[in-house]
Amino acid sequence: QVQLVESGGGLAQPGGSLRLSCAASGSTFSVNTMSWYRQAPGKQRELVAAATYGGRTNYADSVKGRFTISRDNAKNTVYLQMNGLEPEDTAVYFCHAEIKRSIWGLADDYWGQGTQVTVSS
């Protein structure tokens, strides 16, 4: 069994900061790309940022220069440092990971349960 456990959401004021964490646990042979997505009410889920095992990253245009994704491969953990938060960043943030459970076969997609981020004064 594989689980992604998120933490760090909450309420922040505009211009403030929050840091999200997501740890993969269970039977993991390798953890490939780890990503953060978000979904605001009435909107589709969108990619916020992604990081490969080797450290390559990419970001949605709306968060470039404000958010930073990083990962600790030894801990199978990914982080999202969010600075300069705006009300438009309000959403449920989901962790996603591509995980192989054994040396055989392809990686499967796993999702965290989601954590609420609310930006409001």
Side-chain angles (χ1 to χ4, degrees):
Q1 193 77 349
V2 173
Q3 280 190 315
L4 297 180
V5 179
E6 302 152 346
S7 61
L11 176 65
Q13 292 188 338
S17 299
L18 286 172
R19 188 186 193 218
L20 305 182
S21 300
C22 171
S25 63
S27 179
T28 60
F29 174 75
S30 65
V31 182
N32 300 338
T33 299
M34 300 186 81
S35 309
W36 288 97
Y37 286 74
R38 67 185 180 188
Q39 187 166 20
K43 294 188 176 182
Q44 289 188 328
R45 189 173 297 189
E46 63 174 356
L47 176 67
V48 176
T52 67
Y53 182 88
R56 287 186 301 167
T57 60
N58 68 282
Y59 297 90
D61 288 342
S62 59
V63 306
K64 282 180 181 177
R66 300 188 296 122
F67 291 9
T68 302
I69 189 171
S70 61
R71 56 186 290 175
D72 183 333
N73 291 331
K75 296 180 179 179
N76 289 333
T77 299
V78 64
Y79 306 96
L80 185 68
Q81 178 66 44
M82 304 185 292
N83 298 329
L85 284 163
E86 303 170 352
E88 293 74 22
D89 296 317
T90 296
V92 178
Y93 285 69
F94 296 91
C95 176
H96 172 269
E98 300 170 352
I99 299 174
K100 290 185 66 174
R101 298 184 61 188
S102 74
I103 193 172
W104 310 109
L106 302 175
D108 293 319
D109 292 320
Y110 292 88
W111 291 92
Q113 78 282 2
T115 185
Q116 177 70 46
V117 170
T118 302
V119 183
S120 175
S121 56

